Amino acid sequence: MPPRRKPTSTRQKKADQQLKRAIKRGDVPPPEVKKTVNRHHKRRIGPTGQQIGSTDTAAIESARKLQSAFVKLPPGFLEETKVLASNLALPRPIDDEKTVFQRVDRDDDPNLVVLSCPKRPKWRFDMSKLEVERNEEGVFTKWLAQTDQAIEKWQNQQVPNTSMPRSTSYFERNLEVWRQLWRVSEISQIILVLLDSRCPILHFPPSLTAYLADRKVILVLTKVDITGTARVDAWIKYIHDSYPNLRVVQIESYTEKEASSEQQGRALYEPYIPEHFRSKLVQVIKEVHEELLEPPERVKSHPDRLKNWIPPVKRVIDWDGVLQAKGSKVGLAVGGAAAPRPQSPESEQPEDDDRRQEPSYLTVGLIVRSVISHFSHRDAHNLQVRASKTPGKTKHFQTLYWTADVRLVDCPGLVMPNYVPMEMQVLSGILPISRVSAVPACIYHASQFLPLERIYNLVHPATKVLPAEDKRTWREGMKTEETSKDSTPLSWTTMDILTAYADARGWVTAKAGRPDMHRAGNAMLRAVAEGRIGWAFWPPGTPLDQVAAGGGPEQGIWVPRGDIANEDTEPESDGEVDIVESQHQASSNEEGSIEEDDEEELDDVPDAEIPVGVGRFGALAISGNDENDDESDSST
């Protein structure tokens, strides 16, 4: 029953109207709005046993500090790109040159400033916490101004052979998120940088390369099962030529589950690394560990120093145990009391080697652009961390233990500064889709490389227009009017693709009943970025004859992967919790972007579905059978 209306007099109504007008003019400050809290609302319990959505003000403020911050696109740019997306015809067929990635960096203009990542300023033990934080804030503010100036200068350059205006390049603008990277890089002896094999150099920009120049880095190419052998080999050769001192490891991420009644005929995938890929990864980490056990030249030249020298890593590690670690027991210890405490701050090692102790474990840090990961567990209630398909869901670094000798430190996903337009960042999955407001511009950019109308088997909206009604008075002997049929193929625009896909899915707006093109564009961008539509670039400098031999005609960077899969629901992936949903709420979102919710609806995709967000650690832990787990329990 609706609440009873309070009786008000005519004089009171007139006073309220005058007050509203005065507030609108700015003569009177608006009254404070008191927020009411629903005390009867039942809070959900998360996998860690804590309530989700805590009402604690301190906890909410702490979570807000770790949210990513990006620039806001101007309204003029959004309107201009929307109009151009409606009028510009997409180039068909796609030229083979589009399949070769073209680097957009300072080599095109030597006057551009070299972009860098902010570095933590030096500190001393006698400095207070406030002094350290103010010093960091000052350095970060200066770096932010310099980076904004360099990006703006690059954006204002004229782009040849293009009709769309150049968009800005996104990068992380929150100091608290960068502090997580500083911490991970300080406590890690070996750093794994996970690169998407579809275009690895986008995830390893020059700014990150310079930041990790003095560290032991291993590059890990993921999703090689999507990219294909030919492109992966070409990228590995390109990376070795560009970075001859870095090791490169390639891994597959997923395997198809065994058919069961729960799948209902759908192809589901689970995190899995084949044994030869797993052995290669562990072997490379072992080789880098052996290099760290070697004393430097300045120590070798002095016998006294060599006698007392202590390596920066643990000497003895059970590598067989690391290689055979499988099942739900991997990664159960997540920080807290289970983590051994260091004797001194890890960010600053004493200069006197006699006072330094050998670490208790080997620390391997993971730096990557995408979602928070977890060491795979078979049961969802055992999970200690949160996972998401959206890059940057978790903003605090997390520590998990592979074995008693090796711990993994996962850095939150950061958007590194790079001379790459916003549309390319969305295509490659660097930028979260939920932060994208220029959906038509991103679809136009993706359509330059992918034949989306062929991939989704769309019907051009112009073919659905009904013929004009013949209103003549019908007499005997008259002939019906035949409309002339044009045999020339119809040209596609970005709005045609969005309209056709929205019609195929039956998505319409609530009020006007028009095709919901914003929702259709969001679904397409997610399918492309998450890998449900297979695609991959060729490295720069690849001959066009090799490109033509490695792909079909007129398919651009599209890599078909079997039959078309039209699924209305999303397959549940092991080890994935707290998945976010994107819903079309442009009216309530100040940036016109897609907001996140608790569950996500999976859209129809034309290829075999590869779930994203199950975690990079989940692939490391191959689930063993129950018998092996029982044997290990009895042995312990």
Side-chain angles (χ1 to χ4, degrees), residues 108-178:
D108 300 332
D109 187 357
N111 297 325
L112 290 179
V113 180
V114 179
L115 298 179
S116 62
C117 295
K119 294 186 177 181
R120 185 182 186 185
K122 295 182 179 181
W123 59 276
R124 302 184 307 274
F125 285 96
D126 58 349
M127 297 175 63
S128 64
K129 178 182 178 181
L130 183 60
E131 292 176 342
V132 173
E133 291 180 349
R134 287 182 176 178
N135 193 14
E136 293 175 353
E137 292 172 359
V139 172
F140 183 78
T141 302
K142 182 178 179 180
W143 169 85
L144 193 62
Q146 295 175 349
T147 306
D148 284 337
Q149 184 178 3
I151 293 293
E152 183 179 1
K153 181 180 179 181
W154 167 80
Q155 183 184 1
N156 294 333
Q157 290 181 341
Q158 296 294 332
V159 183
N161 302 326
T162 172
S163 302
M164 277 281 186
R166 172 178 278 181
S167 62
T168 186
S169 181
Y170 280 49
F171 62 93
E172 184 60 62
R173 307 175 66 87
N174 189 353
L175 173 60
E176 296 296 332
V177 181
W178 284 106

Side-chain angles (χ1 to χ4, degrees), residues 249-255 271-284 319-327 330 402 618-625 628:
V249 182
Q250 53 177 316
I251 61 172
E252 294 180 359
S253 303
Y254 304 97
T255 185
Y272 178 80
I273 293 183
E275 287 295 338
H276 60 282
F277 285 135
R278 183 185 180 91
S279 302
K280 179 63 176 177
L281 177 61
V282 174
Q283 180 62 30
V284 172
W319 293 107
D320 293 336
V322 173
L323 184 61
Q324 298 175 3
K326 303 177 183 179
V330 178
W402 193 341
L620 291 175
I622 308 176
S623 60
N625 52 28
N628 294 338

Side-chain angles (χ1 to χ4, degrees), residues 65-356:
K65 288 182 179 180
L66 292 173
Q67 292 180 354
S68 293
F70 302 106
V71 295
K72 184 178 179 180
L73 294 175
F77 175 84
L78 299 178
E79 290 297 329
E80 181 182 2
T81 54
K82 186 176 181 180
V83 173
L84 292 176
S86 303
N87 300 328
L88 295 178
L90 299 175
R92 295 294 184 267
I94 301 177
D95 193 357
D96 288 341
E97 295 181 355
K98 293 285 188 179
T99 62
V100 180
F101 183 76
Q102 303 295 332
R103 299 196 62 168
V104 184
D105 51 23
R106 67 180 301 271
D107 294 336
D108 300 332
D109 187 357
N111 297 325
L112 290 179
V113 180
V114 179
L115 298 179
S116 62
C117 295
K119 294 186 177 181
R120 185 182 186 185
K122 295 182 179 181
W123 59 276
R124 302 184 307 274
F125 285 96
D126 58 349
M127 297 175 63
S128 64
K129 178 182 178 181
L130 183 60
E131 292 176 342
V132 173
E133 291 180 349
R134 287 182 176 178
N135 193 14
E136 293 175 353
E137 292 172 359
V139 172
F140 183 78
T141 302
K142 182 178 179 180
W143 169 85
L144 193 62
Q146 295 175 349
T147 306
D148 284 337
Q149 184 178 3
I151 293 293
E152 183 179 1
K153 181 180 179 181
W154 167 80
Q155 183 184 1
N156 294 333
Q157 290 181 341
Q158 296 294 332
V159 183
N161 302 326
T162 172
S163 302
M164 277 281 186
R166 172 178 278 181
S167 62
T168 186
S169 181
Y170 280 49
F171 62 93
E172 184 60 62
R173 307 175 66 87
N174 189 353
L175 173 60
E176 296 296 332
V177 181
W178 284 106
R179 282 171 172 159
Q180 305 304 310
L181 175 64
W182 295 345
R183 184 60 174 166
V184 171
S185 60
E186 287 170 355
I187 66 178
S188 301
Q189 289 105 22
I190 301 175
I191 294 179
L192 300 182
V193 181
L194 274 69
L195 310 180
D196 194 329
S197 61
R198 298 177 295 183
C199 192
I201 56 178
L202 284 178
H203 304 278
F204 195 54
S207 58
L208 182 59
T209 306
Y211 181 80
L212 301 175
D214 57 343
R215 308 306 301 271
K216 293 292 184 179
V217 178
I218 300 175
L219 303 181
V220 181
L221 293 184
T222 63
K223 302 179 182 177
V224 297
D225 43 349
I226 300 177
T227 305
T229 305
R231 286 180 172 87
V232 170
D233 294 341
W235 276 113
I236 291 178
K237 183 179 182 303
Y238 178 83
I239 293 175
H240 281 314
D241 295 340
S242 303
Y243 310 102
N245 298 326
L246 297 182
R247 292 176 171 83
V248 181
V249 182
Q250 53 177 316
I251 61 172
E252 294 180 359
S253 303
Y254 304 97
T255 185
E256 186 173 352
K257 289 184 177 180
E258 296 181 359
S260 63
S261 59
E262 298 178 356
Q263 300 181 16
Q264 299 180 357
R266 296 175 299 173
L268 302 185
Y269 294 82
E270 61 183 349
Y272 178 80
I273 293 183
E275 287 295 338
H276 60 282
F277 285 135
R278 183 185 180 91
S279 302
K280 179 63 176 177
L281 177 61
V282 174
Q283 180 62 30
V284 172
I285 297 177
K286 181 179 178 181
E287 293 175 359
V288 177
H289 174 260
E290 292 176 353
E291 292 181 359
L292 293 173
L293 294 178
E294 291 291 330
E297 293 296 333
R298 58 182 179 84
V299 176
K300 289 182 179 180
S301 59
H302 296 78
D304 296 338
R305 291 185 178 181
L306 181 61
K307 182 179 179 181
N308 299 324
W309 182 78
I310 299 176
V313 295
K314 185 177 181 179
R315 295 179 185 269
V316 180
I317 293 179
D318 183 11
W319 293 107
D320 293 336
V322 173
L323 184 61
Q324 298 175 3
K326 303 177 183 179
S328 59
K329 299 177 182 179
V330 178
L332 288 178
V334 184
R341 300 299 179 185
Q343 300 297 329
S344 60
E346 297 172 340
S347 57
E348 291 289 333
Q349 294 290 353
E351 296 181 359
D352 188 3
D353 291 336
D354 295 337
R355 296 169 53 191
R356 188 177 64 186

Side-chain angles (χ1 to χ4, degrees), residues 405-416:
D405 298 329
V406 180
R407 72 170 179 177
L408 302 175
V409 183
D410 181 22
C411 179
L414 281 85
V415 181
M416 305 292 176

Side-chain angles (χ1 to χ4, degrees), residues 287-580:
E287 293 175 359
V288 177
H289 174 260
E290 292 176 353
E291 292 181 359
L292 293 173
L293 294 178
E294 291 291 330
E297 293 296 333
R298 58 182 179 84
V299 176
K300 289 182 179 180
S301 59
H302 296 78
D304 296 338
R305 291 185 178 181
L306 181 61
K307 182 179 179 181
N308 299 324
W309 182 78
I310 299 176
V313 295
K314 185 177 181 179
R315 295 179 185 269
V316 180
I317 293 179
D318 183 11
W319 293 107
D320 293 336
V322 173
L323 184 61
Q324 298 175 3
K326 303 177 183 179
S328 59
K329 299 177 182 179
V330 178
L332 288 178
V334 184
R341 300 299 179 185
Q343 300 297 329
S344 60
E346 297 172 340
S347 57
E348 291 289 333
Q349 294 290 353
E351 296 181 359
D352 188 3
D353 291 336
D354 295 337
R355 296 169 53 191
R356 188 177 64 186
Q357 297 182 358
E358 180 179 328
S360 303
Y361 34 74
L362 173 66
T363 303
V364 180
L366 288 94
I367 297 178
V368 71
R369 87 284 177 264
S370 70
V371 298
I372 180 63
S373 61
H374 51 272
F375 226 113
S376 114
H377 307 286
R378 299 298 297 174
D379 298 328
H381 65 273
N382 287 335
L383 293 175
Q384 303 292 326
V385 296
R386 304 175 67 191
S388 170
K389 285 186 177 182
T390 306
K393 176 68 176 181
T394 302
K395 287 302 176 186
H396 195 283
F397 78 90
Q398 302 194 19
T399 303
L400 305 99
Y401 288 83
W402 193 341
T403 64
D405 298 329
V406 180
R407 72 170 179 177
L408 302 175
V409 183
D410 181 22
C411 179
L414 281 85
V415 181
M416 305 292 176
N418 194 11
Y419 290 122
V420 175
M422 176 265 301
E423 297 87 351
M424 182 61 73
Q425 291 178 315
V426 174
L427 175 65
S428 57
I430 297 175
L431 187 65
I433 304 296
S434 60
R435 308 301 297 266
V436 177
S437 54
V439 173
C442 295
I443 294 294
Y444 175 83
H445 183 80
S447 300
Q448 304 295 313
F449 307 98
L450 290 166
L452 295 177
E453 68 280 3
R454 284 184 52 198
I455 297 174
Y456 284 98
N457 196 19
L458 301 178
V459 179
H460 200 287
T463 60
K464 297 183 178 181
V465 178
L466 298 177
E469 182 182 358
D470 190 357
K471 297 183 179 181
R472 298 177 301 167
T473 303
W474 184 260
R475 293 183 178 86
E476 186 178 356
M478 292 182 60
K479 297 182 179 180
T480 58
E481 292 183 348
E482 295 182 358
T483 57
S484 60
K485 296 182 179 181
D486 192 0
S487 59
T488 58
L490 297 173
S491 61
W492 287 83
T493 64
T494 302
M495 291 302 178
D496 291 337
I497 292 178
L498 296 177
T499 303
Y501 185 65
D503 288 340
R505 290 301 308 256
W507 292 338
V508 294
T509 56
K511 294 184 178 180
R514 300 188 182 96
D516 195 343
M517 294 181 290
H518 198 89
R519 182 180 180 183
N522 174 69
M524 285 185 169
L525 292 178
R526 289 184 182 276
V528 172
E530 294 172 0
R532 288 184 270 128
I533 294 179
W535 63 270
F537 280 101
W538 289 91
T542 304
L544 294 182
D545 54 351
Q546 182 180 354
V547 172
E554 305 179 8
Q555 68 183 27
I557 62 175
W558 179 32
V559 182
R561 301 196 316 274
D563 299 334
I564 295 179
N566 292 323
E567 302 292 345
D568 294 331
T569 57
E570 180 177 4
E572 297 179 358
S573 55
D574 293 341
E576 183 173 3
V577 293
D578 198 21
I579 301 302
V580 297

